[in-house]
């Protein structure tokens, strides 16, 4: 499907230094995502960074949220200013937007939708960690909001490779084009 770059944005999601460091294939993901960022910048496609973060003490984390509640105690001692920093190999340029979200979806607790409307974006290209977290949640919500979607499979990773493969080959193609960065 031909894309109109004037209404497209690349979302680089949860590519924070501490999150990337947990991946065994971190260098590959960083390299592939850097290629996607370079291509987007070359094509004048906005690169929007999405990071997960909380206020000190994590008051946004409810004990009813099974996923985040398990980490609340750990987050209480984390320096959030450091935690939200994007990996050195993928750093945003001064003119690029960084959005902070409070849950898995890039839309939840953030102003992403306002930024996308301001840019006139109708097509989102997704890259992120983890496939079963931010990528899945953002894809589902963006599809419900009627965005066209592309997922860059080799710019995404998950702690469970089987889950990553099932999402990329069986689930995501129902709502998005799934491509490798070289084919984008």
């Amino acid at each position: 499907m031909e894309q109109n770059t004037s209404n497209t944005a690349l979302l680089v999601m949860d590519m924070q230094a501490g999150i990337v460091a947990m991946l065994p294939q971190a260098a590959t993901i960083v390299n592939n995502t850097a290629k996607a960022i370079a291509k987007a910048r070359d094509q004048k496609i906005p690169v929007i960074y999405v990071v997960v973060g909380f206020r000190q003490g994590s008051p946004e984390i409810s004990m009813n949220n099974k996923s985040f509640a398990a980490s609340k105690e750990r987050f209480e001692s984390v320096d959030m200013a450091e935690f939200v920093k994007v990996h050195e190999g993928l750093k945003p340029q001064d003119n690029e937007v960084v959005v902070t979200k409070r849950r898995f979806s890039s839309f939840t607790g953030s102003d992403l939708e306002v930024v996308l409307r301001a840019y006139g974006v109708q097509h989102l290209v997704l890259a992120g960690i983890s496939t079963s977290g931010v990528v899945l949640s953002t894809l589902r919500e963006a599809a419900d909001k009627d965005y066209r979607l592309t997922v860059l499979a080799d710019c995404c990773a998950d702690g469970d490779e089987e889950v990553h493969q099932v999402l990329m080959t069986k689930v995501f193609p129902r709502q998005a084009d799934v491509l490798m960065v070289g084919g984008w």
Side-chain angles (χ1 to χ4, degrees):
M1 180 184 299
E2 190 173 318
Q3 91 179 8
N4 174 356
T5 58
S6 69
N7 68 7
T8 299
L10 171 64
L11 296 187
V12 177
M13 305 177 294
D14 292 1
M15 295 284 191
Q16 293 151 247
I19 295 172
V20 172
M22 295 188 297
L23 293 175
Q25 70 277 35
T28 302
I29 295 298
V30 169
N31 184 46
N32 291 341
T33 305
K35 288 177 187 174
I37 292 168
K39 178 174 176 131
R41 289 173 178 161
D42 185 56
Q43 297 292 318
K44 306 290 189 250
I45 294 171
V47 179
I48 300 171
Y49 292 81
V50 180
V51 297
V52 61
F54 307 99
R55 293 174 182 85
Q56 284 306 132
S58 307
E60 303 90 343
I61 297 178
S62 165
M63 295 315 287
N64 294 333
N65 186 310
K66 185 174 181 180
S67 296
F68 283 99
S71 301
K72 182 172 176 125
E73 195 171 301
R74 182 176 54 96
F75 282 133
E76 287 179 0
S77 62
V78 170
D79 178 353
M80 278 298 150
E82 285 298 312
F83 180 74
V84 298
K85 285 187 178 175
V86 174
H87 186 279
E88 188 66 33
L90 305 171
K91 288 184 101 164
Q93 293 180 343
D94 289 341
N95 63 334
E96 292 172 330
V97 174
V98 178
V99 171
T100 301
K101 65 185 178 81
R102 308 298 182 188
R103 293 291 185 270
F104 285 110
S105 173
S106 294
F107 293 96
T108 304
S110 78
D111 58 356
L112 177 61
E113 203 162 5
V114 173
V115 172
L116 295 174
R117 277 197 311 269
Y119 285 162
V121 171
Q122 297 173 8
H123 177 202
L124 298 176
V125 179
L126 307 180
I129 304 168
S130 73
T131 311
S132 63
V134 68
V135 182
L136 173 62
S137 295
T138 300
L139 180 138
R140 292 293 200 187
E141 188 166 350
D144 282 346
K145 294 175 183 296
D146 298 326
Y147 286 97
R148 279 190 37 235
L149 295 163
T150 300
V151 177
L152 300 178
D154 55 347
C155 296
C156 298
D158 197 272
D160 185 326
E161 185 58 29
E162 181 180 0
V163 170
H164 173 83
Q165 289 304 321
V166 168
L167 289 169
M168 291 296 171
T169 61
K170 296 184 181 288
V171 178
F172 291 173
R174 295 177 186 162
Q175 295 179 295
D177 294 322
V178 179
L179 306 172
M180 301 298 264
V181 71
W184 175 51

